[in-house]
Amino acid sequence: SSSSSSSSAASPAVEEARRRAAYDALAEEFDEKLEWHELLTGIKAMRWWMMRQAKGEVLEVAAGTGRNFAYYPAGTKLTATDCSEPMVDVCRAKGEASRGPRGGGGARFAKLDVKVDDAARMKFKTGSFDTVVDTFGLCSYEDPVATLREMARVCKSGGISGGDGGGGGRLFLLEHGRSDAHGWLSNILDAHATAHAAKWGCYWNRDIPQIVKDAGLEIIEHRAYHFGTTHYLVAAKPTPPRRRG
């Protein structure tokens, strides 16, 4: 299928249960392990730039420990989900802290709902959200193409071909994956993909732009960083052309 051809680069599979267990085990120390790395590589700045563009009703999938929470604009209406209950516990505590001493959402969030949910089989109605955010999640899904299609389902339509002037729903993706520009670097990612998946619960050698295309989304913006291994994408669900007459 298209998902199997584009999701990973012929690396031996680490079963999903094992990857999820590794992810659960990292919850308490996840922020500490990533903080300096993300600061020095500019990923924290990328998170800030991406989150400040979130508009309307926002869904963040694979929210992890809530590393994006500090970067959302004041008054954001956010629903955040993750498949890992230990990660959601950390995420929820971080969200509660952002409400301030009197509760009520504070300045950061006008609404905040943090819950355990599977991004591949979400319970939300079609077209429920104006913005869908996924940061470093496509590497961890068993079927990234199908999961991205599910994200698109719950996002409002509004592709650049739909004649809406660019005002429709948007999917914001910040992901690590293989480099088109540097084959030698992708070879290194391939060689260590299984060990990385076993430790961190994710495959870092997936072809991210191809996954987005295979999911049937329009790529509005794509920037690549770190020798092409970090992908910043803005995508949209195509809107059917309007009928005339």
Side-chain angles (χ1 to χ4, degrees), residues 51-226:
M51 298 320 124
R52 70 193 296 267
Q53 300 178 69
K55 305 237 181 346
E57 290 285 343
V58 181
L59 170 67
E60 182 178 343
V61 299
T65 59
R67 292 189 64 77
N68 293 322
F69 278 18
Y71 307 119
Y72 282 104
T76 295
K77 299 176 182 178
L78 177 65
T79 300
T81 71
D82 198 280
C83 66
S84 167
E85 190 164 351
M87 287 281 184
V88 166
D89 288 342
V90 177
C91 188
R92 187 177 287 123
K94 198 174 291 185
E96 288 298 322
S98 74
R99 293 179 185 274
R102 296 185 180 182
R108 177 66 62 189
F109 299 109
K111 181 190 80 172
L112 178 61
D113 185 15
V114 182
K115 61 179 70 178
V116 176
D117 200 4
D118 187 345
R121 292 171 291 275
M122 290 186 279
K123 303 175 181 67
F124 306 113
K125 293 180 180 179
T126 298
S128 295
F129 298 95
D130 302 283
T131 303
V132 176
V133 174
D134 180 293
T135 56
F136 304 106
L138 288 181
C139 57
S140 63
Y141 304 128
E142 190 73 3
D143 187 336
V145 173
T147 304
L148 189 51
R149 285 177 181 152
E150 177 68 354
M151 291 183 218
R153 181 188 68 78
V154 302
C155 185
K156 292 179 180 177
S157 297
I160 53 179
S161 64
D164 69 347
R170 293 290 181 265
L171 294 95
F172 290 89
L173 310 171
L174 182 61
E175 313 287 349
H176 49 205
R178 62 191 310 98
S179 171
D180 289 336
H182 302 282
W184 61 269
L185 187 51
S186 289
N187 290 339
I188 294 174
L189 297 180
D190 290 346
H192 298 278
T194 301
H196 185 82
K199 179 178 180 180
W200 291 94
C202 70
Y203 284 104
W204 61 2
N205 63 332
R206 288 177 168 172
D207 187 336
I208 300 301
Q210 189 61 50
I211 289 171
V212 177
K213 293 174 185 175
D214 287 349
L217 299 178
E218 294 180 343
I219 296 178
I220 297 170
E221 181 181 356
H222 177 207
R223 304 178 188 178
Y225 302 93
H226 307 134

